[in-house]
Amino acid sequence: MTATPSQPYTPFAPCAHHRSSSRRPDPAPTPSPAPVGRDGRRDGRASRRVPAPRSPRTPGPVRDALVLLAVPLVAALLLPAAFAGGGTRRWFGGRGEGQRAEAQAAKDAAAAAFYELDTAQRDLRISIETIAAVDDSPAARRAVSDFEALGRRIDEVSHRYIQAVDAHDLDRVDLDAPAASRARADLTAAKDELTRVRQELDRFGEGLGPLLGKAETQLARLAPAVERARQSLLAASNALDAVRATGLAADDLAARLAALAPELTRLNQGAGRHGVAQTLERAERVAREAEAVRTEAERLPERAAEIDHRLVSLRTRAQALTTRAGQVEPVLSELRRRFAAACWQDLQHVPEQAAETVRQAEVKMKEAQTARDAQRWPDATSLLSTVRALLNTTDEAVSAAGDRLRRLNAVQKDPQQEIERTRFAIRDAQRLAMAGRTTPDPRHAGPLDDSVTRLERAIGTLEGRHPDYWHFLTEAEAVRRAVAGVVARIREERGTGH
């Protein structure tokens, strides 16, 4: 600490270092010794130093002027500190600070609206991508287009919000009340615009409910469908391995299963690459085809045994038909001897035809056996079906000769039985045609009358020395078919209310 001088410092007072160095200072006067009192001590008051002569004082007017100049300077230095109170708060608060706070609140509200809009847009974009990946309908394409338009609208209002934020620095020290008011108005307008677009986005999202539900349903089906396809392929492969272990080649099934390998690769690549709808359809098709391969592979041993059984059965039947074909000639001899030529002429070539058909059947059976040995199961099955058709034809031809002789014998013995059978059918149809009517319908009466006439002509062929019994039998049968047709029409018309 520097001691305070006894006299105030003035620039006009002479100082020791301002004096001339040639002048020596006058020696200070030597103090006289203090007088001694009665008690022998010196008197302290007498020992004080004699004061040095004072410097000349500055004239009064000049000193007063200097004091007046120094007072404003000291006040300028001391007043801010006095009003600041030792803190950093600006002393000129009031209405300007209120405007700044309102602008900051508007800025915070706009930021919250911007964040909410951005979050809503992100969430809705996921829904749109889901719909676009699953649904290719016009409604789905329109939804994607509308969302893109909303995105452009969102970009516009977001850009204006960012411009409003960048245009106003609310942390400026010199921010005045009008600037803060303008900032609050711009930020509030940006917030309102963001809120309106958010409401449009919400309404658009609510309208996506049906499309999104459909898309989510398909997505929910996707993973289980792909898993079913994989499991079906695995089951088919295991079944094929089990069949091969029994000695069956099953080459056709192996080829069908190998053709599904690229489809499995596409399934593993996922719906993101091939599309949800296409992946779902592919998974269902792969599962269906793999299941068919598995079923056929599991049934293959049974199928092989069935083909073996059919081969044995058809060989036995061919041998039996060969024996029966040999019996056709005696039947034809009896027909020639007892009946007119018209009764047996169409059966003349049955023995030759039966022998030829049996021969063809035996050739096809050998081919079927070869196909079975080569494990060409479809070919073996097809050839066995051909053999069966040939043997059926031979059986019918061989049976026709014996059946003809039996029927001719019956009508020769008692033709009246066939006549009464036919007349009963005609009378029954006539009663049905007249039921509930006084006169018959011409559409029904005409065919029935023709049937009666046709039967009478057939009965007339039985007269003579060598009656054509076969013609009579075929005519009687034809009359019964015609009458049955009239009865069917009558019942159909009455059943429909005609």
Side-chain angles (χ1 to χ4, degrees):
M1 298 285 297
T2 303
T4 302
S6 58
Q7 298 294 335
Y9 167 77
T10 62
F12 297 98
C15 297
H17 63 277
H18 287 166
R19 296 174 184 173
S20 175
S21 58
S22 60
R23 184 180 175 181
R24 296 179 60 88
D26 296 330
T30 303
S32 58
V36 179
R38 294 179 182 178
D39 53 0
R41 298 181 180 176
R42 294 183 183 272
D43 188 353
R45 289 175 298 180
S47 64
R48 293 178 181 175
R49 182 176 298 177
V50 177
R54 299 188 177 198
S55 299
R57 297 178 59 87
T58 302
V62 176
R63 182 185 61 192
D64 295 340
L66 291 177
V67 170
L68 291 177
L69 288 174
V71 167
L73 179 61
V74 174
L77 294 175
L78 296 179
L79 282 177
F83 280 95
T88 60
R89 182 175 179 179
R90 288 178 289 272
W91 64 272
F92 52 81
R95 186 169 180 275
E97 284 301 302
Q99 293 289 345
R100 183 194 298 270
E102 292 176 359
Q104 184 63 48
K107 181 179 180 181
D108 295 341
F114 176 77
Y115 175 77
E116 292 174 359
L117 178 60
D118 182 69
T119 303
Q121 184 185 19
R122 291 174 185 273
D123 294 342
L124 197 57
R125 181 177 287 112
I126 296 174
S127 301
I128 288 293
E129 290 174 353
T130 300
I131 293 172
V134 175
D135 196 351
D136 193 31
S137 64
R141 292 195 295 270
R142 186 167 57 254
V144 174
S145 176
D146 293 345
F147 180 74
E148 292 175 354
L150 267 176
R152 291 190 291 271
R153 171 80 171 132
I154 291 171
D155 291 342
E156 292 174 2
V157 298
S158 299
H159 181 66
R160 284 195 287 273
Y161 159 73
I162 294 173
Q163 285 182 331
V165 171
D166 292 342
H168 304 285
D169 184 6
L170 302 183
D171 295 329
R172 268 183 9 217
V173 176
D174 58 345
L175 183 69
D176 55 7
S181 180
R182 287 193 301 272
R184 180 182 61 80
D186 293 346
L187 291 169
T188 300
K191 186 263 294 182
D192 293 341
E193 199 169 10
L194 290 168
T195 303
R196 283 194 297 271
V197 176
R198 166 65 189 279
Q199 292 171 352
E200 294 178 14
L201 194 67
D202 291 342
R203 286 193 296 270
F204 175 76
E206 292 173 359
L208 294 178
L211 289 174
L212 186 60
K214 178 182 176 182
E216 289 176 346
T217 299
Q218 290 195 357
L219 285 176
R221 291 171 50 200
L222 182 61
V226 172
E227 184 61 24
R228 280 196 303 271
R230 291 172 178 158
Q231 294 300 322
S232 297
L233 285 171
L234 179 60
S237 178
N238 293 337
L240 193 59
D241 292 341
V243 167
R244 286 177 168 177
T246 63
L248 298 174
D251 292 336
D252 57 333
L253 296 179
R256 288 166 58 185
L257 189 61
L260 296 176
E263 298 298 321
L264 178 61
T265 301
R266 295 185 182 94
L267 287 177
N268 290 333
Q269 288 173 346
R273 180 170 180 178
H274 300 286
V276 175
Q278 293 80 358
T279 302
L280 186 61
E281 186 275 333
R282 179 177 290 111
E284 293 175 350
R285 176 166 47 83
V286 168
R288 185 170 57 253
E289 294 179 4
E291 183 64 18
V293 170
R294 182 194 66 80
T295 301
E296 293 186 29
E298 292 178 349
R299 189 177 174 274
L300 197 54
E302 180 183 351
R303 186 178 184 184
E306 181 182 351
I307 289 176
D308 293 338
H309 175 73
R310 290 180 64 186
L311 279 169
V312 173
S313 176
L314 290 175
R315 287 195 189 99
T316 303
R317 186 179 178 189
Q319 293 171 0
L321 283 176
T322 301
T323 302
R324 289 178 59 196
Q327 299 172 357
V328 172
E329 191 59 41
V331 172
L332 288 176
S333 297
E334 185 174 354
L335 288 171
R336 295 188 194 102
R337 188 181 71 249
R338 294 176 52 196
F339 300 98
C343 295
W344 49 264
Q345 229 170 6
D346 59 320
L347 300 176
Q348 190 71 19
H349 303 290
V350 168
E352 295 83 359
Q353 292 174 351
E356 176 62 22
T357 305
V358 169
R359 187 191 65 78
Q360 293 176 2
E362 289 175 347
V363 171
K364 295 296 181 181
M365 277 191 286
K366 290 180 181 179
E367 295 177 1
Q369 182 65 57
T370 302
R372 187 260 176 263
D373 295 339
Q375 299 185 19
R376 290 185 285 109
W377 311 111
D379 294 343
T381 301
S382 176
L383 289 168
L384 289 178
S385 298
T386 302
V387 170
R388 183 177 181 180
L390 290 171
L391 294 182
N392 286 341
T393 302
T394 305
D395 193 3
E396 291 175 0
V398 171
S399 299
D403 184 65
R404 179 79 57 87
L405 180 59
R406 180 183 60 77
R407 294 180 66 186
L408 290 174
N409 285 334
V411 73
Q412 183 184 38
K413 182 179 180 180
D414 185 13
Q416 195 63 34
Q417 184 178 0
E418 190 73 15
I419 294 171
E420 290 300 327
R421 179 186 175 190
T422 306
R423 284 176 176 170
F424 176 80
I426 295 173
R427 286 194 299 269
D428 189 62
Q430 289 172 340
R431 284 194 297 269
L432 181 62
M434 291 298 296
R437 303 178 64 95
T438 57
T439 57
D441 190 331
R443 294 177 300 168
H444 307 149
L448 292 178
D449 292 342
D450 292 342
S451 297
V452 173
T453 303
R454 190 175 180 182
L455 177 62
E456 294 301 327
R457 284 198 304 266
I459 293 173
T461 61
L462 295 177
E463 299 175 357
R465 185 176 178 181
H466 297 288
D468 190 351
Y469 292 108
W470 184 244
H471 175 71
F472 168 73
L473 287 172
T474 55
E475 278 293 290
E477 186 175 356
V479 168
R480 289 194 295 271
R481 285 198 301 270
V483 170
V486 173
V487 170
R489 286 195 297 275
I490 293 174
R491 290 176 175 171
E492 182 180 359
E493 291 172 0
R494 292 181 180 179
T496 55
H498 291 172

PDB file of all heavy atoms in Angstrom, residues 30-45:
ATOM      1  N   THR A  30      18.398  21.784  11.797  1.00  0.00           N
ATOM      2  CA  THR A  30      18.660  20.769  12.835  1.00  0.00           C
ATOM      3  C   THR A  30      17.753  21.011  13.997  1.00  0.00           C
ATOM      4  O   THR A  30      17.697  22.118  14.553  1.00  0.00           O
ATOM      5  CB  THR A  30      20.125  20.857  13.305  1.00  0.00           C
ATOM      6  OG1 THR A  30      20.948  20.687  12.141  1.00  0.00           O
ATOM      7  CG2 THR A  30      20.433  19.812  14.354  1.00  0.00           C
ATOM      8  N   PRO A  31      17.061  19.997  14.349  1.00  0.00           N
ATOM      9  CA  PRO A  31      16.136  20.202  15.487  1.00  0.00           C
ATOM     10  C   PRO A  31      16.906  20.411  16.791  1.00  0.00           C
ATOM     11  O   PRO A  31      17.935  19.762  16.989  1.00  0.00           O
ATOM     12  CB  PRO A  31      15.290  18.896  15.484  1.00  0.00           C
ATOM     13  CG  PRO A  31      16.122  17.865  14.814  1.00  0.00           C
ATOM     14  CD  PRO A  31      16.975  18.591  13.818  1.00  0.00           C
ATOM     15  N   SER A  32      16.373  21.242  17.587  1.00  0.00           N
ATOM     16  CA  SER A  32      17.029  21.484  18.886  1.00  0.00           C
ATOM     17  C   SER A  32      16.630  20.382  19.839  1.00  0.00           C
ATOM     18  O   SER A  32      15.535  19.863  19.758  1.00  0.00           O
ATOM     19  CB  SER A  32      16.602  22.866  19.441  1.00  0.00           C
ATOM     20  OG  SER A  32      15.202  22.912  19.561  1.00  0.00           O
ATOM     21  N   PRO A  33      17.516  20.049  20.693  1.00  0.00           N
ATOM     22  CA  PRO A  33      17.175  18.985  21.648  1.00  0.00           C
ATOM     23  C   PRO A  33      16.019  19.372  22.527  1.00  0.00           C
ATOM     24  O   PRO A  33      15.858  20.536  22.870  1.00  0.00           O
ATOM     25  CB  PRO A  33      18.459  18.786  22.445  1.00  0.00           C
ATOM     26  CG  PRO A  33      19.256  20.028  22.253  1.00  0.00           C
ATOM     27  CD  PRO A  33      18.892  20.606  20.944  1.00  0.00           C
ATOM     28  N   ALA A  34      15.258  18.337  22.816  1.00  0.00           N
ATOM     29  CA  ALA A  34      14.060  18.586  23.641  1.00  0.00           C
ATOM     30  C   ALA A  34      14.483  18.930  25.066  1.00  0.00           C
ATOM     31  O   ALA A  34      15.443  18.361  25.583  1.00  0.00           O
ATOM     32  CB  ALA A  34      13.147  17.344  23.630  1.00  0.00           C
ATOM     33  N   PRO A  35      13.759  19.792  25.642  1.00  0.00           N
ATOM     34  CA  PRO A  35      14.127  20.148  27.051  1.00  0.00           C
ATOM     35  C   PRO A  35      13.840  18.981  27.961  1.00  0.00           C
ATOM     36  O   PRO A  35      12.938  18.216  27.711  1.00  0.00           O
ATOM     37  CB  PRO A  35      13.239  21.360  27.340  1.00  0.00           C
ATOM     38  CG  PRO A  35      12.102  21.262  26.376  1.00  0.00           C
ATOM     39  CD  PRO A  35      12.664  20.632  25.157  1.00  0.00           C
ATOM     40  N   VAL A  36      14.615  18.969  29.063  1.00  0.00           N
ATOM     41  CA  VAL A  36      14.504  17.876  30.029  1.00  0.00           C
ATOM     42  C   VAL A  36      13.607  18.348  31.148  1.00  0.00           C
ATOM     43  O   VAL A  36      13.811  19.444  31.682  1.00  0.00           O
ATOM     44  CB  VAL A  36      15.871  17.454  30.577  1.00  0.00           C
ATOM     45  CG1 VAL A  36      15.756  16.347  31.600  1.00  0.00           C
ATOM     46  CG2 VAL A  36      16.766  17.038  29.424  1.00  0.00           C
ATOM     47  N   GLY A  37      12.705  17.484  31.521  1.00  0.00           N
ATOM     48  CA  GLY A  37      11.783  17.837  32.599  1.00  0.00           C
ATOM     49  C   GLY A  37      12.398  17.550  33.942  1.00  0.00           C
ATOM     50  O   GLY A  37      13.555  17.152  34.065  1.00  0.00           O
ATOM     51  N   ARG A  38      11.483  17.679  34.915  1.00  0.00           N
ATOM     52  CA  ARG A  38      11.928  17.452  36.261  1.00  0.00           C
ATOM     53  C   ARG A  38      12.289  16.012  36.511  1.00  0.00           C
ATOM     54  O   ARG A  38      13.131  15.711  37.337  1.00  0.00           O
ATOM     55  CB  ARG A  38      10.848  17.905  37.255  1.00  0.00           C
ATOM     56  CG  ARG A  38      10.618  19.406  37.219  1.00  0.00           C
ATOM     57  CD  ARG A  38       9.516  19.750  38.204  1.00  0.00           C
ATOM     58  NE  ARG A  38       9.260  21.204  38.146  1.00  0.00           N
ATOM     59  CZ  ARG A  38       8.343  21.772  38.855  1.00  0.00           C
ATOM     60  NH1 ARG A  38       7.599  21.081  39.699  1.00  0.00           N
ATOM     61  NH2 ARG A  38       8.187  23.148  38.774  1.00  0.00           N
ATOM     62  N   ASP A  39      11.600  15.100  35.822  1.00  0.00           N
ATOM     63  CA  ASP A  39      11.838  13.663  36.047  1.00  0.00           C
ATOM     64  C   ASP A  39      12.993  13.158  35.226  1.00  0.00           C
ATOM     65  O   ASP A  39      13.235  11.952  35.143  1.00  0.00           O
ATOM     66  CB  ASP A  39      10.567  12.842  35.733  1.00  0.00           C
ATOM     67  CG  ASP A  39      10.050  13.147  34.350  1.00  0.00           C
ATOM     68  OD1 ASP A  39      10.652  13.982  33.629  1.00  0.00           O
ATOM     69  OD2 ASP A  39       9.022  12.512  33.920  1.00  0.00           O
ATOM     70  N   GLY A  40      13.628  14.061  34.555  1.00  0.00           N
ATOM     71  CA  GLY A  40      14.785  13.651  33.755  1.00  0.00           C
ATOM     72  C   GLY A  40      14.455  13.232  32.346  1.00  0.00           C
ATOM     73  O   GLY A  40      15.338  12.891  31.576  1.00  0.00           O
ATOM     74  N   ARG A  41      13.140  13.151  31.880  1.00  0.00           N
ATOM     75  CA  ARG A  41      12.758  12.765  30.509  1.00  0.00           C
ATOM     76  C   ARG A  41      12.655  13.994  29.654  1.00  0.00           C
ATOM     77  O   ARG A  41      12.341  15.082  30.084  1.00  0.00           O
ATOM     78  CB  ARG A  41      11.423  12.055  30.535  1.00  0.00           C
ATOM     79  CG  ARG A  41      11.503  10.766  31.350  1.00  0.00           C
ATOM     80  CD  ARG A  41      10.144  10.115  31.300  1.00  0.00           C
ATOM     81  NE  ARG A  41      10.172   8.869  32.073  1.00  0.00           N
ATOM     82  CZ  ARG A  41       9.079   8.126  32.261  1.00  0.00           C
ATOM     83  NH1 ARG A  41       7.916   8.508  31.723  1.00  0.00           N
ATOM     84  NH2 ARG A  41       9.186   6.999  32.958  1.00  0.00           N
ATOM     85  N   ARG A  42      12.803  13.718  28.369  1.00  0.00           N
ATOM     86  CA  ARG A  42      12.663  14.807  27.415  1.00  0.00           C
ATOM     87  C   ARG A  42      11.192  15.022  27.107  1.00  0.00           C
ATOM     88  O   ARG A  42      10.393  14.119  27.088  1.00  0.00           O
ATOM     89  CB  ARG A  42      13.407  14.483  26.081  1.00  0.00           C
ATOM     90  CG  ARG A  42      14.913  14.393  26.279  1.00  0.00           C
ATOM     91  CD  ARG A  42      15.549  14.139  24.924  1.00  0.00           C
ATOM     92  NE  ARG A  42      16.982  13.973  25.077  1.00  0.00           N
ATOM     93  CZ  ARG A  42      17.850  14.972  25.057  1.00  0.00           C
ATOM     94  NH1 ARG A  42      17.422  16.204  24.891  1.00  0.00           N
ATOM     95  NH2 ARG A  42      19.184  14.765  25.192  1.00  0.00           N
ATOM     96  N   ASP A  43      10.838  16.200  26.775  1.00  0.00           N
ATOM     97  CA  ASP A  43       9.446  16.528  26.447  1.00  0.00           C
ATOM     98  C   ASP A  43       9.223  16.134  24.996  1.00  0.00           C
ATOM     99  O   ASP A  43       9.919  16.599  24.088  1.00  0.00           O
ATOM    100  CB  ASP A  43       9.212  18.024  26.635  1.00  0.00           C
ATOM    101  CG  ASP A  43       7.750  18.383  26.501  1.00  0.00           C
ATOM    102  OD1 ASP A  43       6.936  17.467  26.125  1.00  0.00           O
ATOM    103  OD2 ASP A  43       7.413  19.542  26.696  1.00  0.00           O
ATOM    104  N   GLY A  44       8.235  15.191  24.777  1.00  0.00           N
ATOM    105  CA  GLY A  44       7.951  14.693  23.396  1.00  0.00           C
ATOM    106  C   GLY A  44       7.495  15.781  22.493  1.00  0.00           C
ATOM    107  O   GLY A  44       7.728  15.769  21.298  1.00  0.00           O
ATOM    108  N   ARG A  45       6.704  16.631  22.970  1.00  0.00           N
ATOM    109  CA  ARG A  45       6.199  17.678  22.108  1.00  0.00           C
ATOM    110  C   ARG A  45       7.349  18.513  21.586  1.00  0.00           C
ATOM    111  O   ARG A  45       7.317  19.000  20.470  1.00  0.00           O
ATOM    112  CB  ARG A  45       5.223  18.542  22.897  1.00  0.00           C
ATOM    113  CG  ARG A  45       3.913  17.839  23.201  1.00  0.00           C
ATOM    114  CD  ARG A  45       3.055  18.704  24.074  1.00  0.00           C
ATOM    115  NE  ARG A  45       3.755  18.925  25.373  1.00  0.00           N
ATOM    116  CZ  ARG A  45       3.216  19.658  26.320  1.00  0.00           C
ATOM    117  NH1 ARG A  45       2.053  20.273  26.162  1.00  0.00           N
ATOM    118  NH2 ARG A  45       3.877  19.823  27.462  1.00  0.00           N
TER     119      ARG A  45
END
